[in-house]
Amino acid sequence: KQEVTQIPAALSVPEGENLVLNCSFTDSAIYNLQWFRQDPGKGLTSLLLIQSSQREQTSGRLNASLDKSSGRSTLYIAASQPGDSATYLCAVKPRDDKIIFGKGTRLHILP
Amino acid sequence: SAVISQKPSRDICQRGTSLTIQCQVDSQVTMMFWYRQQPGQSLTLIATANQGSEATYESGFVIDKFPISRPNLTFSTLTVSNMSPEDSSIYLCSVEGGNHINEQFFGPGTRLTVL
């Protein structure tokens, strides 16, 4: 059964630093992987989607990588800002099954 | 990307009552889902809302407690019935769509507090 793990559960970094959030999954037979952002009490915003055939995707200061064979993805945030403070969720879509979420990383950017 | 709206955005309800949450999408979508997020937890899938047929419920969720309607390809409702404080959660509507097949989008959520 597919399991998705995100480490660390929480992270605080000073403003301006670059940072990496990690996501691992147990079954490499995935269709795609998505990174989401969730602000407290709100819905999820899709940040990046990586298809299983892709290695990375970039959007502005965000870069997500995918290593399917090792079951790992990273979300890189460059030049962090206080507005980046949120919970970041990783989710994998297995083939022929529904999306599975990790528990998220709570990120706090210190001004 | 699909734009999703939910009503109400939040509500405070009394134990034993029911609340119906509406989800509206700005384009026709095949796959529509309802999730629950309990305080401090990740998302749990309640059911897949099927257009023209009964919803498909995940283990631990039943139709009597969470009846779902899906009258067309842009709209769905989730009712939380006979509520208890344990039902206090954020309820999220989600669809698959957009430029990428199987990319998933979420509504803004409905924050429910049951007293």
Side-chain angles (χ1 to χ4, degrees), chain A residues 31 34 38 43 46 98-99 102, chain B residues 35 37 42 45 48 102 104 108:
Chain A
Y31 192 85
Q34 254 181 290
Q38 186 177 30
S46 178
K98 298 174 189 68
I99 193 170
Chain B
Y35 287 83
Q37 187 177 32
S42 191
L45 180 64
T48 302
N102 292 326
Q104 200 147 339

Side-chain angles (χ1 to χ4, degrees), chain B residues 24-45:
Chain B
Q24 179 75 54
V25 190
D26 68 340
S27 58
Q28 293 186 340
V29 292
T30 303
M31 303 300 290
M32 200 174 231
F33 309 96
W34 285 99
Y35 287 83
R36 179 174 76 181
Q37 187 177 32
Q38 294 176 303
Q41 303 297 312
S42 191
L43 281 76
T44 301
L45 180 64

Side-chain angles (χ1 to χ4, degrees), chain A residues 67-80:
Chain A
D67 184 343
K68 205 171 62 166
S69 61
S70 67
R72 294 180 187 275
S73 176
T74 62
L75 179 67
Y76 175 84
I77 302 177
S80 58

